[in-house]
Amino acid sequence: MQELNTSTVLNTMRDDVFDAIEKRDAVFLKTIINQLHPGELADLLESMPPKARSFFWENVPSELDADILAEVQDEVRATLITDMNHAEIISAAATMEVDDLAEVIEDLPGDMRSAVEDSLSESIREKLETNLSFEENTAGRLMSTDVVTIRPDVKLETVIRYLRRRGSLPEHTSGFFIIDREGRYLGKLTIEALVTHNDEELVEDVMQPDSHCLEATTTVHEVAQMFERYSLISAAVVDQGKLLGRITIDDVLDIIRDKADHALMRGVGLDESEDLFAPVSFSAKKRTIWLAINLVTAFLAAWVIGIFETTIDKIVALAILMPIVASMGGIAGSQTLTITIRGLSLNLITGPNIFWLARKEFAIGVINGFIWAIVIALLAWGWFGDIGIGLVIGTAIIINLIVAAISGIAIPLVLNRLGIDPAVSGAVVLTTVTDVVGFMSFLGLASIYLIN
Amino acid sequence: MQELNTSTVLNTMRDDVFDAIEKRDAVFLKTIINQLHPGELADLLESMPPKARSFFWENVPSELDADILAEVQDEVRATLITDMNHAEIISAAATMEVDDLAEVIEDLPGDMRSAVEDSLSESIREKLETNLSFEENTAGRLMSTDVVTIRPDVKLETVIRYLRRRGSLPEHTSGFFIIDREGRYLGKLTIEALVTHNDEELVEDVMQPDSHCLEATTTVHEVAQMFERYSLISAAVVDQGKLLGRITIDDVLDIIRDKADHALMRGVGLDESEDLFAPVSFSAKKRTIWLAINLVTAFLAAWVIGIFETTIDKIVALAILMPIVASMGGIAGSQTLTITIRGLSLNLITGPNIFWLARKEFAIGVINGFIWAIVIALLAWGWFGDIGIGLVIGTAIIINLIVAAISGIAIPLVLNRLGIDPAVSGAVVLTTVTDVVGFMSFLGLASIYLIN
């Protein structure tokens, strides 16, 4: 078997692809496309500006459409769908799994959506309706309905005969689900149990009760936590005891990645499914809202400075030094904030240990406050030759770093309690606090002690 | 089957656990521990302050030690190991899988490490050495050596008989690896193929070539990318064609979570495996370094302001408004920066599309620059009743937002080229640029146009 560095191969391939697109060389492009896996094609499409993406997508053979639409991120999928006509979408829908179909169909404009729904078989349409009857971001939406079910009162021999007749298994099958005549979920028959037991034994004697099955209403974040905690590969989804489908770990992988992207992107006012190559107007609009929010907080900080206008007018050194106080508080606070948000999202922070954590962060705030107060006081004293300025800035640093530590813990906890995602707005609230407290304490102390 | 909300159950359990620890009630604590899964115990240990963690760990039955040590994050594991004696560690090591053992053994102090190594069987020690011979964060380190291998020239019937005799399979087995007499990897026999084909057929006739096997030297990030791209559940690891072991998706889940934590935590100078409950002295030291770096950049910004001391002395409104220019640039820049870093980490940005992206971000910078320049100019004019100040701040905003957009793209690309992780230092460099350019352009324009 030959050694291959797949990333490098794929990067070379990408250069060829971009080259073929540049030259509008459809023949060569098709040759490359034929050698690639749908997952690779999805990655390529995500890395293309709009025009290149359209040209590439036109040249993808339509039998791959379904797999690719299931793989790409939401915003990119929306751009691909706009390039497809009714017939193409209907033919792609025909080969999609129900969970993927549920995701795609919600993106379609009304008339196209009903055309697709009409084209589906009765049984698929029913499954789709069940899927769509659950809220977004629940197990019921995420699950695949393509499962192998078995009755408890048959021999393993019979199961193997049935599987041979069936000829293929759903992707990532790691076991079979045992249900009774009413469709109630009884437990699972692992592949291990199937192949390692004597084939005269009955399913009910070798099956295992399933302690990790998921209610259809479980949120996807709880689903991800269960998969991580119990090292699951797949889990049954039930509603009132009845088996509806299963969730496999590759769906969970997507959730974990999305959640990570969410924390990163929402923190600067962006969407986790942001298409890197979205049109300028679309991206500019999204980002301008975040700038608007920030402007309000910036004017708040300016207003605080404005209160001390006469003080600054007398000692201009204050204007030079004041951003240092605000910025050190912002950095220290965002460290505590990040740790707290991560602790909350990993579910590590609850009642009994909040007090311990708050004490710890307070202690760190005091220690780092004093260390940097001394350093900055000496530097300021040296710069402006005024020990008073040194003492004032040192005191302001201590105050701001302690406030930053307390805010870094308190803000995410309060936002969480209010049902606001601290990963989205925590940083804005925090820096507003550290700016205001920083300017207020520094300029306030200066007004009291340096102006006579 | 009863509906259970596991998170709620676990939270209630946690309150009971903290209660039992508070009261030093070892008997009740042991009763609860006996009802929990190692994954749940690991989660609980991660959510405890040091003293509670020690007391809890003392009461965990030693037969669970191995599983828990394999589950908890690195820094927490180090605290658990310090509470164990030689005998306890040796007995835990005896039941660990080789990949977990490799991780744990590196955390041990020298004498304990050799004691553990001496206690291992010849064959395990050899596997451990192979594993440790690969660099950290490669497939060779991550792999498990516990695999079921099969020769190509046997009947499926024989395979099933062999599996029955074996009686159990390694966790998450989704197929079997076919090797020749020299140990060369030939392909895999999926469970689907095993159970759906006639048992008279030969392995070599139903086995599949494996196009997604991993070289032992592949980095874990490439491993994660391969698992995502090709929706893998497990993959063979080879070295010069010889089968060494396999990587399963649960290991990949940990990598993806770690990588996400890395981006979030390193961005504020923290470690992704930071123990939320580490001692104050330990945490304070780590964070103070980041504050030191920030102080240098803050003094740089102060120095820029200092250049314009006489200007500020004449128009104090400049001191009040200047943080607004710096802050708007910082926010706009960090949006572009976040998008670029994410694009780089998803491998979406390469040669041909960098130019397209740069043009897009530039356009957004220009659009948002003009919008907010007008708003801020009007507000400043209204506040200070001086149209000159409005014009100066508006122009400075346009300059800073355009510079922010260009920097947001250029900084991570340059850092990446230099081999520096942009997720770690990108934001510091960026805000230094937007602070300096913000203050420089605003105060500089004011010196030229407002002072006569």
Side-chain angles (χ1 to χ4, degrees):
Chain A
M1 202 151 289
Q2 219 201 317
E3 179 174 352
L4 276 181
N5 184 327
T6 26
S7 282
T8 319
V9 173
L10 209 63
N11 281 344
T12 318
M13 196 75 91
R14 176 149 60 185
D15 290 347
D16 287 347
V17 166
F18 276 99
D19 222 46
I21 293 172
E22 188 74 29
K23 295 181 185 136
R24 301 279 152 193
D25 183 349
V27 180
F28 181 50
L29 192 57
K30 277 181 180 142
T31 327
I32 307 178
I33 289 173
N34 277 326
Q35 296 162 38
L36 293 172
H37 181 277
E40 293 165 341
L41 294 171
D43 283 359
L44 276 171
L45 280 161
E46 288 181 357
S47 74
M48 285 179 188
K51 277 181 200 158
R53 191 182 284 164
S54 283
F55 183 70
F56 187 85
W57 185 230
E58 273 169 35
N59 286 290
V60 170
S62 55
E63 63 268 26
L64 294 176
D65 287 0
D67 284 344
I68 293 174
L69 288 176
E71 288 266 350
V72 291
Q73 65 190 65
D74 295 5
E75 286 194 8
V76 175
R77 180 166 55 224
T79 70
L80 297 179
I81 285 175
T82 55
D83 279 345
M84 295 171 80
N85 61 35
H86 274 47
E88 285 170 330
I89 289 181
I90 287 173
S91 102
T95 61
M96 268 187 199
E97 294 200 30
V98 172
D99 52 330
D100 296 328
L101 190 54
E103 254 193 90
V104 170
I105 210 160
E106 294 234 302
D107 284 349
L108 296 178
D111 60 324
M112 222 177 233
R113 180 174 173 156
S114 28
V116 170
E117 278 170 341
D118 290 343
S119 76
L120 299 171
S121 74
E122 181 74 26
S123 80
I124 297 284
R125 195 157 57 227
E126 247 170 50
K127 283 181 177 175
L128 181 66
E129 271 164 26
T130 311
N131 193 306
L132 288 172
S133 74
F134 295 102
E135 273 178 72
E136 237 188 308
N137 295 321
T138 60
R141 261 307 173 81
L142 193 66
M143 69 184 178
S144 147
T145 48
D146 192 12
V147 293
V148 180
T149 56
I150 288 172
R151 288 288 154 75
D153 50 359
V154 298
K155 287 185 188 166
L156 295 186
E157 197 186 6
T158 320
V159 174
I160 291 181
R161 254 204 329 269
Y162 162 70
L163 294 175
R164 284 217 179 108
R165 243 191 354 259
R166 208 175 184 279
S168 80
L169 296 179
E171 245 195 332
H172 304 326
T173 294
S174 63
F176 308 102
F177 300 101
I178 321 297
I179 55 171
D180 66 12
R181 265 160 226 289
E182 278 75 46
R184 272 192 300 267
Y185 180 48
L186 303 175
K188 61 183 176 181
L189 175 68
T190 61
I191 292 203
E192 173 174 305
L194 180 66
V195 297
T196 62
H197 279 91
N198 190 300
D199 58 9
E200 286 295 308
E201 292 188 61
L202 286 176
V203 167
E204 56 196 358
D205 295 330
V206 303
M207 75 177 212
Q208 289 164 2
D210 188 347
S211 47
H212 302 312
C213 81
L214 305 163
E215 273 300 311
T217 50
T218 313
T219 68
V220 291
H221 295 304
E222 281 181 332
V223 170
Q225 234 170 32
M226 296 254 316
F227 269 76
E228 288 196 74
R229 183 175 297 138
Y230 305 111
S231 302
L232 307 177
I233 287 289
S234 86
V237 179
V238 299
D239 184 30
Q240 297 173 319
K242 294 218 167 140
L243 182 73
L244 291 185
R246 63 173 185 140
I247 291 177
T248 46
I249 194 165
D250 52 323
D251 303 315
V252 174
L253 219 68
D254 291 344
I255 296 169
I256 292 176
R257 206 186 49 184
D258 278 1
K259 198 179 169 189
D261 278 350
H262 177 91
L264 211 62
M265 303 286 276
R266 290 286 163 108
V268 292
L270 300 166
D271 205 305
E272 66 268 27
S273 60
E274 171 106 5
D275 177 1
L276 192 57
F277 302 95
V280 170
S281 59
F282 184 83
S283 297
K285 201 159 58 182
K286 271 194 176 173
R287 299 199 208 165
T288 209
I289 296 165
W290 201 246
L291 288 167
I293 295 170
N294 180 65
L295 188 63
V296 176
T297 79
F299 264 96
L300 184 64
W303 173 75
V304 172
I305 301 172
I307 298 174
F308 303 101
E309 197 171 342
T310 52
T311 309
I312 295 172
D313 209 11
K314 284 186 188 140
I315 311 172
V316 76
L318 299 178
I320 295 169
L321 292 172
M322 68 186 183
I324 295 173
V325 181
S327 138
M328 291 296 276
I331 295 286
S334 65
Q335 292 181 325
T336 306
L337 182 83
T338 305
I339 287 201
T340 310
I341 291 176
R342 176 156 165 275
L344 282 171
S345 87
L346 295 177
N347 205 16
L348 292 178
I349 298 177
T350 44
N353 51 28
I354 288 175
F355 185 68
W356 192 95
L357 268 182
R359 225 173 35 195
K360 174 187 163 179
E361 291 299 325
F362 181 79
I364 295 176
V366 171
I367 293 171
N368 277 335
F370 273 94
I371 292 174
W372 294 109
I374 293 168
V375 173
I376 294 168
L378 291 174
L379 288 169
W381 180 16
W383 189 349
F384 296 99
D386 180 345
I387 192 169
I389 287 183
L391 288 173
V392 163
I393 198 171
T395 315
I397 289 280
I398 293 173
I399 294 171
N400 207 20
L401 259 63
I402 291 174
V403 169
I406 297 168
S407 311
I409 286 249
I411 290 169
L413 288 176
V414 170
L415 290 175
N416 214 35
R417 187 61 61 90
L418 297 174
I420 301 168
D421 183 354
V424 177
S425 38
V428 181
V429 180
L430 179 95
T431 51
T432 308
V433 171
T434 51
D435 278 359
V436 167
V437 172
F439 293 136
M440 188 82 88
S441 57
F442 180 52
L443 299 175
L445 287 169
S447 308
I448 298 170
Y449 295 107
L450 302 181
I451 308 286
N452 352 53
Chain B
M1 203 151 289
Q2 219 201 317
E3 179 173 354
L4 277 182
N5 184 325
T6 26
S7 282
T8 319
V9 173
L10 210 63
N11 281 344
T12 319
M13 198 74 92
R14 177 148 60 185
D15 290 347
D16 287 346
V17 166
F18 275 99
D19 222 46
I21 292 172
E22 188 74 31
K23 295 181 186 138
R24 301 280 154 193
D25 184 348
V27 180
F28 182 50
L29 191 58
K30 277 183 179 140
T31 327
I32 307 177
I33 289 173
N34 277 326
Q35 295 163 38
L36 294 172
H37 182 278
E40 293 165 341
L41 295 171
D43 283 359
L44 276 171
L45 280 160
E46 287 180 357
S47 73
M48 286 180 188
K51 277 181 200 157
R53 192 183 284 164
S54 283
F55 182 70
F56 187 84
W57 185 230
E58 274 167 34
N59 286 291
V60 170
S62 55
E63 62 267 27
L64 295 176
D65 287 0
D67 283 346
I68 294 173
L69 288 176
E71 288 266 350
V72 290
Q73 65 190 63
D74 295 5
E75 285 195 8
V76 175
R77 181 166 54 224
T79 70
L80 297 179
I81 285 175
T82 55
D83 279 344
M84 295 170 80
N85 60 36
H86 274 47
E88 284 170 330
I89 289 181
I90 287 174
S91 102
T95 61
M96 269 185 197
E97 294 200 32
V98 172
D99 53 328
D100 296 329
L101 192 54
E103 254 193 89
V104 170
I105 210 159
E106 294 232 302
D107 283 351
L108 296 179
D111 59 324
M112 223 178 231
R113 181 174 173 156
S114 27
V116 169
E117 278 170 340
D118 291 343
S119 76
L120 300 171
S121 74
E122 181 73 25
S123 80
I124 297 285
R125 196 158 55 227
E126 247 170 52
K127 284 181 177 174
L128 181 66
E129 271 164 25
T130 310
N131 193 305
L132 289 172
S133 74
F134 295 102
E135 273 179 72
E136 237 187 307
N137 296 321
T138 60
R141 260 309 172 80
L142 193 65
M143 69 184 179
S144 147
T145 47
D146 192 12
V147 293
V148 180
T149 57
I150 288 171
R151 288 286 153 76
D153 51 358
V154 298
K155 286 183 187 168
L156 294 187
E157 196 185 9
T158 320
V159 174
I160 291 181
R161 249 200 337 264
Y162 162 70
L163 293 175
R164 278 209 188 117
R165 236 183 9 249
R166 210 176 182 279
S168 80
L169 296 178
E171 244 195 332
H172 304 327
T173 294
S174 65
F176 308 102
F177 299 100
I178 321 296
I179 55 171
D180 67 12
R181 263 161 226 288
E182 277 75 45
R184 271 192 300 268
Y185 180 47
L186 303 175
K188 59 182 178 184
L189 175 69
T190 62
I191 294 209
E192 173 174 307
L194 179 66
V195 298
T196 62
H197 280 92
N198 190 299
D199 57 11
E200 285 297 308
E201 290 189 63
L202 286 177
V203 167
E204 57 197 359
D205 294 331
V206 302
M207 74 177 211
Q208 289 164 4
D210 187 347
S211 48
H212 302 314
C213 79
L214 304 163
E215 273 299 311
T217 50
T218 314
T219 68
V220 293
H221 296 304
E222 281 180 333
V223 170
Q225 234 170 30
M226 297 254 316
F227 269 76
E228 288 194 73
R229 183 175 296 137
Y230 304 112
S231 303
L232 306 178
I233 287 289
S234 86
V237 178
V238 297
D239 183 31
Q240 297 173 320
K242 295 216 167 143
L243 182 72
L244 290 185
R246 65 175 184 137
I247 291 177
T248 46
I249 195 167
D250 52 325
D251 303 314
V252 175
L253 218 68
D254 291 343
I255 296 169
I256 293 176
R257 206 187 48 185
D258 277 0
K259 197 179 170 188
D261 278 349
H262 177 90
L264 212 62
M265 303 287 275
R266 290 287 163 108
V268 291
L270 300 168
D271 204 306
E272 65 268 28
S273 60
E274 171 106 5
D275 176 3
L276 192 57
F277 301 95
V280 170
S281 59
F282 184 82
S283 297
K285 201 159 58 183
K286 271 193 177 174
R287 298 198 208 165
T288 209
I289 296 165
W290 200 246
L291 288 167
I293 295 170
N294 181 65
L295 187 63
V296 175
T297 78
F299 264 95
L300 183 65
W303 173 75
V304 172
I305 301 171
I307 299 174
F308 302 100
E309 198 171 340
T310 50
T311 311
I312 296 173
D313 208 13
K314 283 183 190 143
I315 311 171
V316 76
L318 299 178
I320 296 169
L321 292 172
M322 68 186 184
I324 295 173
V325 182
S327 139
M328 292 298 276
I331 295 286
S334 65
Q335 292 180 325
T336 306
L337 182 82
T338 305
I339 287 202
T340 310
I341 291 176
R342 176 157 164 275
L344 283 172
S345 88
L346 294 177
N347 206 15
L348 292 176
I349 299 177
T350 43
N353 52 27
I354 287 175
F355 185 68
W356 193 95
L357 268 182
R359 223 171 40 196
K360 175 188 164 179
E361 292 299 325
F362 181 79
I364 294 176
V366 171
I367 294 171
N368 277 336
F370 273 94
I371 292 174
W372 294 109
I374 294 167
V375 173
I376 294 168
L378 290 174
L379 288 170
W381 180 15
W383 189 351
F384 296 99
D386 180 344
I387 193 170
I389 287 182
L391 288 172
V392 164
I393 199 170
T395 315
I397 288 281
I398 292 173
I399 293 172
N400 207 21
L401 258 62
I402 291 174
V403 169
I406 297 168
S407 311
I409 285 249
I411 290 170
L413 288 176
V414 170
L415 290 176
N416 214 36
R417 188 62 60 89
L418 297 175
I420 301 168
D421 182 354
V424 177
S425 38
V428 181
V429 180
L430 179 94
T431 51
T432 306
V433 171
T434 50
D435 278 0
V436 167
V437 171
F439 292 136
M440 189 83 89
S441 58
F442 179 51
L443 300 175
L445 288 168
S447 308
I448 299 169
Y449 295 107
L450 301 183
I451 307 285
N452 355 51

